[in-house]
Amino acid sequence: GGFLEAECTPARFCVITPVSVLFRVLPGVISDIVVFGCTNNASTPLVVGGGFACQLDMKDRFGNTAYGHSAVYPINVKYNGQLVSGIPASFTAVEGSITVEIPAQSSSFQSPLANLAVDASVIYELTTLPKTVPSLKFNVVHGPVEEVYLPSEVSDAQVTQALQVVGSTDGLQMLLRDQFGNKATRSTGVFTVNVTTTTSG
């Protein structure tokens, strides 16, 4: 039922070695799930409200990826201890890999990744194994500047006198914030500020 391989010398003496038929070594029963990679990590921060995804690989007990395996798995996706709502409850494994995505902020999806964070991590719970794995750690940084915010109030001032800011000795300060209200600590540049006054009474 097998093939024959022959090695012959110049004198035509041959050694014939039987060889089995061709076969494949397939992965064993799935017993583990590991994070292969994510869109964001320690060196690639996530801008608040952006989409985030990780690839999860199904493994047997020898660490082999279950290529050729396709099935639907229920996965709980959590961030900051809370279940992420608005995403599917089940995901399809294709060739032993599952891509789990948290979409970007939109009018139809409230992103849980809308606040600044250091060493953040998304948790994946595969209940059928059962197995819980964290994503690669990543930082969540502020987005583009969308507004200017005045954190202090100006007290009543006499004519020709300097303005006095309530609770501050550093004068009038303005904070730059992104669309989620996060302070834009990484923004630098020159800004033109026009100060106008209004009167009442």
Side-chain angles (χ1 to χ4, degrees), residues 30-112:
I30 294 173
S31 61
D32 197 9
I33 184 171
V34 300
V35 175
F36 175 79
C38 300
T39 54
N40 302 91
N41 49 46
S43 59
T44 307
L46 174 74
V47 175
V48 287
F52 178 79
C54 283
Q55 177 182 319
L56 311 179
D57 285 353
M58 317 298 288
K59 302 282 188 178
D60 65 15
R61 67 189 183 95
F62 299 102
N64 300 303
T65 299
Y67 297 114
H69 172 77
S70 296
V72 177
Y73 290 92
I75 298 178
N76 295 327
V77 183
K78 294 183 177 182
Y79 181 72
N80 276 346
Q82 301 295 319
L83 192 67
V84 178
S85 60
I87 63 175
S90 299
F91 297 85
T92 301
V94 179
E95 291 295 323
S97 295
I98 302 173
T99 298
V100 181
E101 180 181 7
I102 298 177
Q105 173 84 11
S106 68
S107 58
S108 60
F109 178 73
Q110 180 63 44
S111 174

Side-chain angles (χ1 to χ4, degrees), residues 6 33 52 54 75 86 90 95 98 101 104 117 120-121 128-129 145 163 167 169 182 188 190 193 195:
I33 184 171
F52 178 79
C54 283
I75 298 178
S90 299
E95 291 295 323
I98 302 173
E101 180 181 7
S121 183
T128 54
L129 282 181
V145 174
L163 295 177
T169 58
N182 299 301
T188 59
V190 178
V193 178
V195 179

Side-chain angles (χ1 to χ4, degrees), residues 48 114-116 142-149 175-185:
V48 287
N115 297 306
L116 305 185
H142 67 78
V145 174
E146 294 285 343
E147 65 176 359
V148 176
Y149 170 68
L175 300 181
L176 306 179
R177 304 196 300 191
D178 63 19
Q179 63 171 320
F180 298 101
N182 299 301
K183 185 178 179 181
T185 55

